[in-house]
Amino acid sequence: MTAAFIGIDWGTTHRRALVIGAQGETIAEHADAEGALACVGRFRASLEALLLRWPEVGPDVPVVMSGMIGSASGWQPVPYLGGDTPVGELARALVRVSDAPVGRRWFIVPGWCLRDDATGEVDVMRGEETQLFGAIHLARARGAKGEGLTDGLYALPGTHSKWARLRAGRVVELRTYMTGELFALLGERGTLASVMHGVRRSVAPDDPAFEAGVRAMCGTSPPALSHALFGARARVVTQSLAPQAAVAYVSGLLLGAEWADARRHPSPDEPVRLIGAPALVALHAACAAQFGRHVEVLAVEAVQRAAWQAFASEGVPS
Amino acid sequence: MTAAFIGIDWGTTHRRALVIGAQGETIAEHADAEGALACVGRFRASLEALLLRWPEVGPDVPVVMSGMIGSASGWQPVPYLGGDTPVGELARALVRVSDAPVGRRWFIVPGWCLRDDATGEVDVMRGEETQLFGAIHLARARGAKGEGLTDGLYALPGTHSKWARLRAGRVVELRTYMTGELFALLGERGTLASVMHGVRRSVAPDDPAFEAGVRAMCGTSPPALSHALFGARARVVTQSLAPQAAVAYVSGLLLGAEWADARRHPSPDEPVRLIGAPALVALHAACAAQFGRHVEVLAVEAVQRAAWQAFASEGVPS
């Protein structure tokens, strides 16, 4: 098997690399904690060390990197693309790494910025645009023809959950929610930390406390999140909620806040395309059920692989 | 001047004591960092050390304490009062400290719990009920007659902002917002900490970034807070907001979220009675202006003093 392409999802705290063959097959993969924060000042050395894992891969094989690696705190700040660029044409927009050795074709995928001058709304993503690109190609590979079948509402839950709407292949709406980060912050210190025992314990989608948290955000006039969160403490100190259930309740509130906000999307019959890790996607699917929405699940690994395969088959800039 | 009463607002991290004379005058006061968290296991010794500051105050002078001192993590857990108790009758509900030396009249003010069995909503306060009690007595001292003039909507901003509605002298609505705590958590670590330089810098009510944050929450369909907060970062990385302005912007979002939630109160012409420290009250008054609400400001020190004076004049349980 001959390597044709290396794709690296290079985030803030972790990176995950795939070596793709000429037929789109995965030849090798590797994940480590060499995230952008850990590699400041030594990005090139870190990439070269990674490539040494695969000595059979020639120096002519292109390397494409997505995620925070292209941010101001990453290797090389790459300007955001705007809303008028079709996501499916991402391969044409790759930016060459100026720090690369002569002859090496190393690229960074630009992130996306959506700005509404009328409202002052601004939102950004780095890395998720590559997953959306992968989702489009995955759908095409499965026979979807035309943009209509890949347009729609996508939710990419995580530390920073991204909700994006594609219309005519372009990102026309983008909203980031600090869901995972708030969950971690609240579990670490402060009023809720004392009741959120075991924040690392995984929450089950059918946990009654998780469902109660989602339900609290599910009414026609959901409470402010900063009020709903205190409700976890109020319930524990008044014995309405067992202390060990507070983690699941808070998780339900935070995920429920995303789904409550998604009510602004006018078509309740429209499916939400969920891209994420299985455990988190299962929690969001449970939210969707409570909010009366249906979902289409896309495994994040399949989507990411499809993105690298598409870059490999479309060819990177020369 | 003869001391007639000692009142102590004894919170989680700080306490503030007032010695009140027979005519309601303040004879002495003292504040320190002997909060409930710092005094676990030595509450009695800590109070006795405080009282040694005033050797002229006899052992027969009653001591009344409000705040987290009466919580499960305080000196003595005191059950919450419910919604059917008139706040103005708080003096009758004081709970004796069982750990007090023989003959000492030491009391803890019970906190309040409001529970709506239909919706499952629960909220609690400890300490703010004493401020509401003080506000009622302050208004009566100024000539207000009847409950109608002390009923209404009160906002007590802080680490945990409390919004309470009094009707016929009773607390009929209570909502806590984790405003100050979220502000501190977000400034300490995570994505926003890197842009919230100088979280300890005070925010001015006419700071354009503060106003922009409030405005972002002021529309007819305000965004989810977990989304709006990420907007601070999106604005900084896209140069829509100066990094040094992020603290004021986040402050505006968090305070604005309280006022957006207050829209559920049906009467926009009704004043909001603000009880708090001057700097924080000024920020909330600026929010109120943006939301088209008017406020009546009650200085927290005057309200707290009025509460102790009222306990002193009404007399504590024998």
Side-chain angles (χ1 to χ4, degrees):
Chain A
M1 290 188 293
T2 309
F5 182 89
I6 294 176
I8 309 174
D9 173 21
W10 201 327
T12 303
T13 56
H14 290 79
R15 70 177 171 188
R16 183 174 186 85
L18 254 68
V19 183
I20 304 281
Q23 271 69 51
E25 75 278 20
T26 301
I27 294 179
E29 53 187 297
H30 174 75
D32 59 32
E34 288 273 277
L37 279 185
C39 292
V40 170
R42 56 175 189 88
F43 285 103
R44 180 170 157 175
S46 176
L47 176 57
E48 284 171 338
L50 174 67
L51 297 179
L52 283 179
R53 302 183 71 88
W54 306 300
E56 70 283 9
V57 176
D60 57 315
V61 170
V63 176
V64 172
M65 298 166 271
S66 70
M68 293 309 283
I69 192 75
S71 74
S73 53
W75 191 353
Q76 175 177 320
V78 170
Y80 293 106
L81 293 178
D84 55 340
T85 308
V87 177
E89 294 176 16
L90 198 53
R92 295 189 208 163
L94 299 179
V95 171
R96 201 132 193 168
V97 175
S98 54
D99 186 28
V102 174
R104 293 293 188 114
R105 294 188 297 155
W106 292 353
F107 299 91
I108 292 176
V109 185
W112 231 261
C113 172
L114 223 73
R115 186 190 299 268
D116 184 332
D117 289 329
T119 62
E121 267 287 304
V122 188
D123 215 327
V124 294
M125 59 180 166
R126 285 196 190 272
E128 293 86 359
E129 74 296 323
T130 303
Q131 295 179 15
L132 291 172
F133 173 75
I136 288 173
H137 282 274
L138 196 62
R140 285 182 189 161
R142 287 173 180 171
K145 298 242 190 292
E147 286 157 345
L149 290 169
T150 53
D151 279 355
L153 184 57
Y154 290 80
L156 299 88
T159 302
H160 294 167
S161 292
K162 307 282 179 181
W163 287 63
R165 176 175 293 286
L166 295 189
R167 190 178 296 144
R170 288 158 177 84
V171 183
V172 293
E173 291 174 35
L174 176 61
R175 286 194 169 228
T176 304
Y177 302 84
M178 293 179 63
T179 303
E181 180 169 342
L182 285 172
F183 185 66
L185 281 175
L186 292 166
E188 274 169 17
R189 55 174 74 187
T191 302
L192 296 187
S194 62
V195 298
M196 285 173 71
H197 307 293
V199 64
R200 294 178 177 281
R201 170 171 85 80
S202 67
V203 174
D206 61 351
D207 184 320
F210 174 76
E211 289 174 347
V214 177
R215 193 162 53 245
M217 303 305 289
C218 194
T220 49
S221 176
L225 185 62
S226 59
H227 166 56
L229 289 169
F230 185 79
R233 176 169 172 83
R235 280 162 175 75
V236 169
V237 299
T238 59
Q239 281 91 47
S240 311
L241 184 72
Q244 63 272 24
V247 166
Y249 184 78
V250 169
S251 173
L253 293 176
L254 287 166
L255 271 63
E258 291 186 33
W259 287 85
D261 204 48
R263 284 220 170 107
R264 67 184 66 239
H265 297 290
S267 312
D269 293 337
E270 177 189 49
V272 177
R273 298 198 168 111
L274 276 175
I275 301 177
L280 192 49
V281 162
L283 292 176
H284 275 276
C287 288
Q290 276 214 47
F291 277 82
R293 301 288 302 241
H294 56 111
V295 296
E296 293 175 9
V297 173
L298 298 164
V300 66
E301 290 202 6
V303 161
Q304 192 73 54
R305 190 183 312 266
W308 301 138
Q309 289 167 337
F311 282 130
S313 66
E314 291 189 7
V316 298
S318 58
Chain B
M1 291 187 293
T2 308
F5 183 88
I6 294 175
I8 309 174
D9 172 21
W10 201 329
T12 305
T13 57
H14 290 79
R15 70 175 172 191
R16 183 174 186 86
L18 253 67
V19 183
I20 305 279
Q23 272 68 51
E25 74 280 19
T26 302
I27 294 179
E29 52 187 296
H30 174 75
D32 59 31
E34 288 274 276
L37 279 184
C39 293
V40 171
R42 57 176 189 85
F43 285 104
R44 179 170 158 175
S46 176
L47 176 58
E48 285 171 337
L50 173 66
L51 297 178
L52 283 179
R53 302 183 73 88
W54 305 299
E56 72 281 10
V57 176
D60 57 316
V61 170
V63 175
V64 173
M65 298 165 272
S66 69
M68 294 308 283
I69 191 74
S71 74
S73 51
W75 190 353
Q76 175 177 321
V78 171
Y80 292 106
L81 293 179
D84 56 339
T85 308
V87 177
E89 294 176 16
L90 199 52
R92 295 191 209 161
L94 298 179
V95 171
R96 200 133 192 168
V97 175
S98 54
D99 186 27
V102 174
R104 295 292 188 118
R105 294 188 295 155
W106 293 354
F107 298 91
I108 292 176
V109 185
W112 231 260
C113 172
L114 224 73
R115 186 190 299 269
D116 183 332
D117 289 330
T119 62
E121 267 287 306
V122 188
D123 214 325
V124 294
M125 58 180 166
R126 283 196 191 274
E128 294 85 359
E129 74 296 322
T130 303
Q131 294 179 16
L132 291 172
F133 173 76
I136 289 172
H137 282 274
L138 196 60
R140 285 183 190 162
R142 288 172 179 170
K145 299 243 189 293
E147 285 157 344
L149 291 168
T150 53
D151 279 356
L153 183 57
Y154 290 80
L156 300 86
T159 301
H160 293 167
S161 290
K162 308 280 181 183
W163 287 63
R165 176 177 292 287
L166 294 190
R167 189 178 296 146
R170 288 155 177 87
V171 183
V172 293
E173 292 175 34
L174 176 61
R175 287 194 168 225
T176 304
Y177 303 84
M178 293 179 63
T179 303
E181 178 169 343
L182 284 172
F183 185 66
L185 281 176
L186 291 166
E188 275 169 16
R189 56 174 73 186
T191 302
L192 296 188
S194 61
V195 298
M196 284 173 71
H197 307 293
V199 66
R200 293 178 179 281
R201 171 171 83 79
S202 66
V203 174
D206 61 351
D207 185 320
F210 174 75
E211 289 175 346
V214 177
R215 194 162 51 244
M217 303 305 288
C218 194
T220 49
S221 175
L225 185 63
S226 60
H227 166 56
L229 290 169
F230 185 79
R233 176 168 171 85
R235 281 163 176 74
V236 169
V237 299
T238 59
Q239 280 91 49
S240 311
L241 184 72
Q244 63 272 24
V247 166
Y249 184 77
V250 170
S251 172
L253 292 176
L254 287 165
L255 271 63
E258 290 185 34
W259 287 85
D261 204 47
R263 283 223 172 104
R264 68 185 63 239
H265 297 290
S267 311
D269 293 336
E270 177 188 48
V272 177
R273 299 199 169 111
L274 277 174
I275 301 176
L280 192 49
V281 163
L283 292 176
H284 275 275
C287 289
Q290 277 213 48
F291 278 82
R293 300 289 301 243
H294 58 111
V295 296
E296 292 174 10
V297 173
L298 299 164
V300 66
E301 290 202 5
V303 161
Q304 191 72 55
R305 189 182 314 264
W308 301 139
Q309 288 168 338
F311 282 130
S313 66
E314 292 189 9
V316 298
S318 58

